[in-house]
Amino acid sequence: MIKKTWEALTRRCQTCSRVTLILGVGLGAVLVAGALMAGGAAGLAWTNTESFCISCHEMRDNVYAEYKDTVHSKNRTGVRAICSDCHVPREPGPMLLRKMRATLELYGHFVGTIDTKEKFEAHRAELAKRVWTRMKQTDSLECRNCHHEDAWSAELQSEKSKNRHGKGRADGKTCIDCHYGIAHKEPEGPGPQELNISKN
């Protein structure tokens, strides 16, 4: 097919030099690749919006409904963390990997794995464990997108918080080991601190 296309181009451009033809084809390929990349970037940005995340009722009626009354949604400063802030890494490589994994999760949507409140509750612990596992493996990377340890003000933390953060660092814990169930209802059973998973 490429050979036939090339022959057709050379017939149409009898007066063009070979260099001009190669440059023209190269420029066309760059324009097509640029358009595809721009479309892909726009698609990735769109899938990181809150409106996209809650476009299916499974998310809107369950975890989003819980999130709306938490400190990540409503607080004294008005700073909000939306779904993608906590569930999608910002770095390009990890973000693309997370998006690829998320496309596999669409299977559950289409077969109705969690399409009712009862089904969602039956799978809540399993779903939470997946998120906790990923966050433990990445040292709570998504938390650190907003919460920068080097910018913490020790003076503004209570003595209890300072002590716990120090002990957590010393014990090799990550954010999700202690800070879970703050945006979504905590599932029954063991929490992330009981998961024996090492950081990457």
Side-chain angles (χ1 to χ4, degrees), residues 48-54 59-60 63-87 90 142-143 145-147 182-184:
N48 276 348
T49 63
E50 186 176 72
S51 58
F52 173 82
C53 293
I54 61 170
M59 295 298 108
R60 184 184 60 245
V63 288
Y64 181 72
E66 298 167 359
Y67 150 86
K68 287 191 300 184
D69 292 324
T70 69
V71 71
H72 279 109
S73 179
K74 291 180 183 173
N75 54 64
R76 62 182 172 76
T77 61
V79 176
R80 293 182 75 229
I82 63 169
C83 310
S84 59
D85 290 323
C86 299
H87 294 280
R90 291 184 182 166
E142 292 82 357
C143 299
N145 284 336
C146 298
H147 300 279
I182 56 174
H184 306 297

Short mmCIF file of all heavy atoms in Angstrom, two decimals, residues 48-54 59-60 63-87 90 142-143 145-147 182-184:
data_model
loop_
_atom_site.label_atom_id
_atom_site.label_comp_id
_atom_site.label_asym_id
_atom_site.label_seq_id
_atom_site.Cartn_x
_atom_site.Cartn_y
_atom_site.Cartn_z
N ASN A 48 -9.83 13.67 32.61
CA ASN A 48 -9.42 14.09 33.96
C ASN A 48 -10.39 15.09 34.57
O ASN A 48 -10.15 15.59 35.66
CB ASN A 48 -8.02 14.70 33.93
CG ASN A 48 -6.94 13.66 33.99
OD1 ASN A 48 -7.19 12.49 34.25
ND2 ASN A 48 -5.72 14.07 33.74
N THR A 49 -11.49 15.40 33.89
CA THR A 49 -12.44 16.38 34.43
C THR A 49 -13.44 15.69 35.36
O THR A 49 -13.74 14.50 35.22
CB THR A 49 -13.22 17.09 33.31
OG1 THR A 49 -13.99 16.12 32.59
CG2 THR A 49 -12.29 17.83 32.35
N GLU A 50 -13.95 16.45 36.30
CA GLU A 50 -14.94 15.92 37.24
C GLU A 50 -16.21 15.48 36.49
O GLU A 50 -16.78 14.44 36.80
CB GLU A 50 -15.28 16.97 38.28
CG GLU A 50 -16.18 16.47 39.38
CD GLU A 50 -16.40 17.53 40.44
OE1 GLU A 50 -17.13 18.50 40.16
OE2 GLU A 50 -15.85 17.38 41.54
N SER A 51 -16.60 16.27 35.49
CA SER A 51 -17.83 15.92 34.76
C SER A 51 -17.69 14.57 34.05
O SER A 51 -18.64 13.79 33.98
CB SER A 51 -18.21 17.02 33.77
OG SER A 51 -17.17 17.24 32.85
N PHE A 52 -16.50 14.26 33.55
CA PHE A 52 -16.29 12.95 32.92
C PHE A 52 -16.36 11.85 33.97
O PHE A 52 -17.02 10.83 33.77
CB PHE A 52 -14.93 12.89 32.21
CG PHE A 52 -14.60 11.52 31.69
CD1 PHE A 52 -15.12 11.08 30.49
CD2 PHE A 52 -13.81 10.65 32.43
CE1 PHE A 52 -14.85 9.79 30.02
CE2 PHE A 52 -13.54 9.37 31.97
CZ PHE A 52 -14.06 8.94 30.76
N CYS A 53 -15.69 12.08 35.11
CA CYS A 53 -15.63 11.05 36.16
C CYS A 53 -17.01 10.67 36.69
O CYS A 53 -17.23 9.51 37.04
CB CYS A 53 -14.76 11.53 37.31
SG CYS A 53 -13.01 11.69 36.87
N ILE A 54 -17.91 11.64 36.75
CA ILE A 54 -19.23 11.32 37.31
C ILE A 54 -20.30 11.18 36.22
O ILE A 54 -21.48 11.23 36.51
CB ILE A 54 -19.65 12.37 38.36
CG1 ILE A 54 -19.75 13.76 37.75
CG2 ILE A 54 -18.70 12.34 39.54
CD1 ILE A 54 -20.38 14.79 38.68
N MET A 59 -20.30 5.96 39.62
CA MET A 59 -19.44 6.90 40.34
C MET A 59 -20.27 8.04 40.95
O MET A 59 -20.07 8.41 42.11
CB MET A 59 -18.37 7.48 39.40
CG MET A 59 -17.38 6.46 38.88
SD MET A 59 -16.41 5.68 40.20
CE MET A 59 -17.09 4.04 40.24
N ARG A 60 -21.18 8.59 40.17
CA ARG A 60 -21.98 9.73 40.63
C ARG A 60 -22.81 9.40 41.87
O ARG A 60 -22.86 10.16 42.83
CB ARG A 60 -22.89 10.22 39.50
CG ARG A 60 -23.70 11.47 39.84
CD ARG A 60 -24.66 11.85 38.73
NE ARG A 60 -25.61 10.79 38.46
CZ ARG A 60 -25.68 10.11 37.31
NH1 ARG A 60 -24.88 10.39 36.30
NH2 ARG A 60 -26.57 9.14 37.14
N VAL A 63 -19.43 6.86 45.12
CA VAL A 63 -18.26 7.53 45.70
C VAL A 63 -18.32 9.05 45.59
O VAL A 63 -17.88 9.75 46.49
CB VAL A 63 -16.95 6.99 45.09
CG1 VAL A 63 -16.66 5.60 45.60
CG2 VAL A 63 -16.97 7.01 43.59
N TYR A 64 -18.89 9.58 44.50
CA TYR A 64 -18.98 11.04 44.38
C TYR A 64 -19.97 11.60 45.40
O TYR A 64 -19.73 12.65 46.00
CB TYR A 64 -19.39 11.45 42.96
CG TYR A 64 -19.48 12.95 42.79
CD1 TYR A 64 -18.33 13.72 42.76
CD2 TYR A 64 -20.71 13.58 42.66
CE1 TYR A 64 -18.39 15.10 42.61
CE2 TYR A 64 -20.79 14.96 42.52
CZ TYR A 64 -19.63 15.71 42.49
OH TYR A 64 -19.69 17.08 42.35
N ALA A 65 -21.06 10.90 45.63
CA ALA A 65 -22.05 11.35 46.62
C ALA A 65 -21.42 11.42 48.01
O ALA A 65 -21.70 12.35 48.77
CB ALA A 65 -23.24 10.40 46.62
N GLU A 66 -20.53 10.49 48.33
CA GLU A 66 -19.82 10.51 49.61
C GLU A 66 -18.81 11.65 49.68
O GLU A 66 -18.68 12.32 50.70
CB GLU A 66 -19.07 9.20 49.82
CG GLU A 66 -19.94 7.98 49.88
CD GLU A 66 -19.15 6.69 49.77
OE1 GLU A 66 -17.91 6.72 49.63
OE2 GLU A 66 -19.79 5.64 49.82
N TYR A 67 -18.10 11.85 48.59
CA TYR A 67 -17.04 12.84 48.52
C TYR A 67 -17.55 14.27 48.72
O TYR A 67 -16.87 15.11 49.32
CB TYR A 67 -16.32 12.69 47.17
CG TYR A 67 -15.72 13.96 46.62
CD1 TYR A 67 -14.45 14.36 47.00
CD2 TYR A 67 -16.42 14.73 45.70
CE1 TYR A 67 -13.89 15.52 46.48
CE2 TYR A 67 -15.87 15.88 45.18
CZ TYR A 67 -14.61 16.28 45.58
OH TYR A 67 -14.07 17.42 45.08
N LYS A 68 -18.78 14.56 48.25
CA LYS A 68 -19.29 15.94 48.25
C LYS A 68 -19.32 16.60 49.63
O LYS A 68 -19.26 17.81 49.72
CB LYS A 68 -20.70 15.99 47.64
CG LYS A 68 -20.69 15.82 46.14
CD LYS A 68 -22.03 16.13 45.51
CE LYS A 68 -23.12 15.25 46.05
NZ LYS A 68 -24.41 15.49 45.38
N ASP A 69 -19.40 15.83 50.69
CA ASP A 69 -19.45 16.40 52.04
C ASP A 69 -18.14 16.27 52.80
O ASP A 69 -18.11 16.39 54.02
CB ASP A 69 -20.58 15.75 52.84
CG ASP A 69 -21.95 16.12 52.28
OD1 ASP A 69 -22.13 17.27 51.83
OD2 ASP A 69 -22.84 15.25 52.27
N THR A 70 -17.04 16.03 52.09
CA THR A 70 -15.75 15.87 52.76
C THR A 70 -14.91 17.14 52.62
O THR A 70 -15.21 18.03 51.82
CB THR A 70 -14.95 14.69 52.16
OG1 THR A 70 -14.55 15.04 50.83
CG2 THR A 70 -15.76 13.41 52.16
N VAL A 71 -13.83 17.19 53.36
CA VAL A 71 -12.93 18.34 53.35
C VAL A 71 -12.25 18.52 51.99
O VAL A 71 -11.82 19.61 51.65
CB VAL A 71 -11.89 18.24 54.50
CG1 VAL A 71 -10.88 17.14 54.20
CG2 VAL A 71 -11.22 19.57 54.75
N HIS A 72 -12.18 17.47 51.20
CA HIS A 72 -11.58 17.60 49.86
C HIS A 72 -12.52 18.32 48.89
O HIS A 72 -12.08 18.80 47.85
CB HIS A 72 -11.20 16.22 49.30
CG HIS A 72 -9.90 15.72 49.82
ND1 HIS A 72 -9.81 14.67 50.70
CD2 HIS A 72 -8.63 16.14 49.61
CE1 HIS A 72 -8.54 14.47 51.00
NE2 HIS A 72 -7.81 15.34 50.35
N SER A 73 -13.80 18.39 49.22
CA SER A 73 -14.76 19.07 48.36
C SER A 73 -15.18 20.43 48.92
O SER A 73 -15.25 21.40 48.19
CB SER A 73 -16.00 18.20 48.17
OG SER A 73 -16.95 18.86 47.36
N LYS A 74 -15.47 20.48 50.22
CA LYS A 74 -15.90 21.73 50.86
C LYS A 74 -14.99 22.01 52.05
O LYS A 74 -14.85 21.16 52.94
CB LYS A 74 -17.34 21.62 51.35
CG LYS A 74 -18.36 21.55 50.26
CD LYS A 74 -19.75 21.45 50.85
CE LYS A 74 -20.77 21.30 49.73
NZ LYS A 74 -22.11 21.04 50.25
N ASN A 75 -14.41 23.19 52.09
CA ASN A 75 -13.53 23.54 53.20
C ASN A 75 -13.44 25.06 53.32
O ASN A 75 -13.96 25.79 52.48
CB ASN A 75 -12.15 22.91 53.01
CG ASN A 75 -11.54 23.26 51.67
OD1 ASN A 75 -11.28 24.42 51.39
ND2 ASN A 75 -11.36 22.24 50.82
N ARG A 76 -12.76 25.53 54.33
CA ARG A 76 -12.71 26.97 54.60
C ARG A 76 -11.98 27.76 53.52
O ARG A 76 -12.24 28.94 53.33
CB ARG A 76 -12.08 27.24 55.96
CG ARG A 76 -10.67 26.76 56.09
CD ARG A 76 -10.10 27.00 57.50
NE ARG A 76 -8.80 26.38 57.65
CZ ARG A 76 -7.68 26.85 57.15
NH1 ARG A 76 -7.69 28.00 56.48
NH2 ARG A 76 -6.55 26.21 57.30
N THR A 77 -11.06 27.13 52.78
CA THR A 77 -10.29 27.86 51.77
C THR A 77 -10.89 27.77 50.37
O THR A 77 -10.51 28.53 49.49
CB THR A 77 -8.85 27.34 51.70
OG1 THR A 77 -8.88 25.96 51.32
CG2 THR A 77 -8.13 27.52 53.03
N GLY A 78 -11.79 26.83 50.15
CA GLY A 78 -12.40 26.68 48.83
C GLY A 78 -11.54 25.93 47.83
O GLY A 78 -11.85 25.86 46.65
N VAL A 79 -10.43 25.37 48.28
CA VAL A 79 -9.57 24.57 47.41
C VAL A 79 -10.16 23.16 47.34
O VAL A 79 -10.41 22.54 48.36
CB VAL A 79 -8.13 24.51 47.95
CG1 VAL A 79 -7.27 23.59 47.09
CG2 VAL A 79 -7.53 25.90 48.01
N ARG A 80 -10.41 22.68 46.11
CA ARG A 80 -11.03 21.36 45.94
C ARG A 80 -10.07 20.40 45.24
O ARG A 80 -9.35 20.79 44.34
CB ARG A 80 -12.29 21.47 45.06
CG ARG A 80 -13.41 22.24 45.69
CD ARG A 80 -14.64 22.26 44.77
NE ARG A 80 -15.29 20.96 44.80
CZ ARG A 80 -15.65 20.28 43.71
NH1 ARG A 80 -15.42 20.75 42.51
NH2 ARG A 80 -16.26 19.13 43.83
N ALA A 81 -10.14 19.17 45.68
CA ALA A 81 -9.46 18.09 44.98
C ALA A 81 -10.55 17.31 44.26
O ALA A 81 -11.51 16.86 44.89
CB ALA A 81 -8.72 17.18 45.96
N ILE A 82 -10.45 17.20 42.94
CA ILE A 82 -11.44 16.42 42.20
C ILE A 82 -10.92 15.00 42.01
O ILE A 82 -9.78 14.69 42.36
CB ILE A 82 -11.82 17.08 40.86
CG1 ILE A 82 -10.61 17.17 39.92
CG2 ILE A 82 -12.42 18.46 41.09
CD1 ILE A 82 -10.95 17.57 38.51
N CYS A 83 -11.74 14.15 41.45
CA CYS A 83 -11.42 12.72 41.31
C CYS A 83 -10.01 12.48 40.77
O CYS A 83 -9.24 11.71 41.34
CB CYS A 83 -12.42 12.04 40.37
SG CYS A 83 -14.15 12.36 40.78
N SER A 84 -9.67 13.13 39.67
CA SER A 84 -8.38 12.89 39.03
C SER A 84 -7.21 13.34 39.90
O SER A 84 -6.11 12.79 39.78
CB SER A 84 -8.32 13.58 37.67
OG SER A 84 -8.52 14.97 37.81
N ASP A 85 -7.41 14.31 40.78
CA ASP A 85 -6.32 14.75 41.65
C ASP A 85 -5.85 13.62 42.55
O ASP A 85 -4.67 13.52 42.89
CB ASP A 85 -6.75 15.94 42.51
CG ASP A 85 -6.94 17.21 41.70
OD1 ASP A 85 -6.16 17.43 40.75
OD2 ASP A 85 -7.87 17.97 42.01
N CYS A 86 -6.76 12.77 42.97
CA CYS A 86 -6.43 11.67 43.89
C CYS A 86 -6.24 10.33 43.19
O CYS A 86 -5.60 9.44 43.73
CB CYS A 86 -7.52 11.52 44.95
SG CYS A 86 -7.72 12.97 45.98
N HIS A 87 -6.79 10.19 41.99
CA HIS A 87 -6.77 8.87 41.35
C HIS A 87 -5.95 8.80 40.07
O HIS A 87 -5.84 7.72 39.48
CB HIS A 87 -8.21 8.41 41.08
CG HIS A 87 -8.98 8.15 42.32
ND1 HIS A 87 -8.85 6.97 43.04
CD2 HIS A 87 -9.87 8.91 43.00
CE1 HIS A 87 -9.64 7.03 44.10
NE2 HIS A 87 -10.27 8.19 44.11
N ARG A 90 0.07 12.78 37.93
CA ARG A 90 0.27 13.90 37.01
C ARG A 90 1.43 13.69 36.06
O ARG A 90 1.46 14.30 34.99
CB ARG A 90 0.49 15.19 37.81
CG ARG A 90 -0.77 15.62 38.52
CD ARG A 90 -0.60 16.93 39.22
NE ARG A 90 -1.82 17.28 39.92
CZ ARG A 90 -1.91 18.23 40.82
NH1 ARG A 90 -0.84 18.93 41.15
NH2 ARG A 90 -3.05 18.48 41.41
N GLU A 142 -0.28 10.44 44.37
CA GLU A 142 -1.38 11.37 44.12
C GLU A 142 -1.57 12.33 45.28
O GLU A 142 -1.88 13.50 45.07
CB GLU A 142 -2.68 10.61 43.82
CG GLU A 142 -2.64 9.85 42.50
CD GLU A 142 -1.95 8.50 42.58
OE1 GLU A 142 -1.42 8.14 43.65
OE2 GLU A 142 -1.92 7.79 41.56
N CYS A 143 -1.39 11.86 46.51
CA CYS A 143 -1.49 12.77 47.67
C CYS A 143 -0.42 13.85 47.56
O CYS A 143 -0.67 15.04 47.84
CB CYS A 143 -1.28 12.02 48.98
SG CYS A 143 -2.49 10.72 49.30
N ASN A 145 0.84 15.14 45.03
CA ASN A 145 0.61 16.14 43.99
C ASN A 145 0.19 17.47 44.62
O ASN A 145 0.50 18.53 44.10
CB ASN A 145 -0.48 15.69 43.02
CG ASN A 145 0.00 14.64 42.04
OD1 ASN A 145 1.18 14.54 41.76
ND2 ASN A 145 -0.92 13.84 41.53
N CYS A 146 -0.53 17.39 45.72
CA CYS A 146 -1.01 18.61 46.40
C CYS A 146 -0.33 18.85 47.74
O CYS A 146 -0.08 19.98 48.12
CB CYS A 146 -2.52 18.54 46.61
SG CYS A 146 -3.47 18.45 45.09
N HIS A 147 -0.07 17.78 48.47
CA HIS A 147 0.50 17.89 49.82
C HIS A 147 2.01 17.70 49.75
O HIS A 147 2.49 16.57 49.74
CB HIS A 147 -0.13 16.84 50.75
CG HIS A 147 -1.61 16.99 50.90
ND1 HIS A 147 -2.18 17.89 51.75
CD2 HIS A 147 -2.63 16.34 50.27
CE1 HIS A 147 -3.50 17.79 51.68
NE2 HIS A 147 -3.80 16.88 50.77
N ILE A 182 -11.20 9.28 54.13
CA ILE A 182 -11.45 10.72 54.29
C ILE A 182 -12.23 11.32 53.13
O ILE A 182 -12.80 12.38 53.26
CB ILE A 182 -10.14 11.52 54.50
CG1 ILE A 182 -9.17 11.28 53.35
CG2 ILE A 182 -9.50 11.16 55.83
CD1 ILE A 182 -7.94 12.14 53.40
N ALA A 183 -12.25 10.64 52.00
CA ALA A 183 -13.02 11.12 50.86
C ALA A 183 -14.15 10.16 50.50
O ALA A 183 -15.09 10.54 49.83
CB ALA A 183 -12.12 11.33 49.65
N HIS A 184 -14.03 8.92 50.96
CA HIS A 184 -15.03 7.90 50.69
C HIS A 184 -15.26 7.07 51.94
O HIS A 184 -14.39 7.00 52.80
CB HIS A 184 -14.58 6.99 49.54
CG HIS A 184 -14.22 7.73 48.30
ND1 HIS A 184 -15.14 8.47 47.59
CD2 HIS A 184 -13.04 7.87 47.65
CE1 HIS A 184 -14.53 9.03 46.56
NE2 HIS A 184 -13.26 8.69 46.57
#
